[in-house]
Amino acid sequence: TVTTAGLTISQKALSNGNAVARTTGVKMLEFTAKAGNSSDVKLTEVDAKLTGLKSNAANYTLWVEGNTTPLKSGVSASGDNGTVTFSGLTNGGLTITKGDTKTLYITADISSSVTPGTLQVSVLDTIITPTGVLENIKAEDPSNGNNVEVSGSAMTGRLVTLVDHGTVKFTVDSSSMTADHIIMSGASDVEAFKIKADASDGNITV
């Protein structure tokens, strides 16, 4: 029986959410890549699609879960609603041992000043390919350099809503002293009032 190398891509779910200006490393899309059982596979390129304004984010980066060195960093979108191409990867690509699965994800750094709107990064199918073939992710057989067919469906990343700044809400903590509380004469360092601050969409310095 003659078998050929293969790679299967599956998307992992990410919740939609907000991102504030100047936030780095915002996760945009996550997926797994599983090598077939016949031979090792090297993933060599990921061609993604940006939906949104190019100016709202930069430094798109492709990571392998558990690695501190990215496969590719410093990538920019080709334009508004343009492409984000990860090629020329570290070590020529990610080699996945036969039968093994690796998790990869794409991050972006939000610009210091943003135009209100959303960002989304996806990996789309090309119309001319057969169903189930994902040509916007490229792979090869590391033993001979032959192209490997990549199986999977189009992946639409999480929708990130951009906000220019974070917010903070102050409330009286439930442990604060009530109006009918009795304080003994001569008592010191009595905690009479406690405020709770809840920050959203970013770290807040009070």
Side-chain angles (χ1 to χ4, degrees):
T1 302
V2 177
T3 58
T4 57
L7 186 68
T8 301
I9 302 297
S10 300
Q11 184 173 0
K12 299 188 72 174
L14 293 175
S15 299
N16 297 335
N18 294 348
V20 70
R22 297 173 292 278
T23 302
T24 59
V26 176
K27 189 178 285 188
M28 304 297 296
L29 176 70
E30 187 171 25
F31 60 92
T32 60
K34 184 181 187 303
N37 295 322
S38 63
S39 64
D40 299 349
V41 175
K42 178 182 281 189
L43 185 152
T44 58
E45 186 172 326
V46 176
D47 298 330
K49 168 74 172 178
L50 170 68
T51 302
L53 296 179
K54 174 185 177 180
S55 61
N56 276 337
N59 190 30
Y60 290 91
T61 303
L62 179 64
W63 298 89
V64 180
E65 187 177 75
N67 289 6
T68 56
T69 300
L71 282 174
K72 185 72 174 183
S73 62
V75 176
S76 298
S78 62
D80 296 343
N81 300 313
T83 57
V84 182
T85 301
F86 299 97
S87 59
L89 306 183
T90 300
N91 298 321
L94 172 66
T95 299
I96 306 172
T97 305
K98 61 181 181 181
D100 281 356
T101 300
K102 295 291 186 181
T103 297
L104 298 92
Y105 58 95
I106 295 170
T107 63
D109 294 347
I110 308 303
S111 301
S112 58
S113 178
V114 297
T115 300
T118 59
L119 282 180
Q120 195 168 43
V121 173
S122 305
V123 175
L124 305 178
D125 253 330
T126 54
I127 298 174
I128 61 173
T129 58
T131 301
V133 177
L134 196 58
E135 286 198 344
N136 281 322
I137 293 181
K138 297 176 175 61
E140 64 182 37
D141 185 331
S143 67
N144 54 32
N146 291 340
N147 291 335
V148 168
E149 184 173 276
V150 178
S151 302
S153 301
M155 300 181 291
T156 301
R158 67 190 291 244
L159 189 68
V160 176
T161 301
L162 302 173
V163 294
D164 189 60
H165 57 270
T167 59
V168 61
K169 179 181 179 181
F170 292 99
T171 56
V172 177
D173 191 83
S174 59
S175 64
S176 293
M177 190 179 298
T178 58
D180 58 354
H181 191 91
I182 298 174
I183 301 175
M184 298 298 295
S185 175
S188 60
D189 297 325
V190 177
E191 186 181 85
F193 190 66
K194 184 183 290 186
I195 293 177
K196 182 169 63 174
D198 294 309
S200 60
D201 301 327
N203 297 325
I204 303 293
T205 301
V206 178

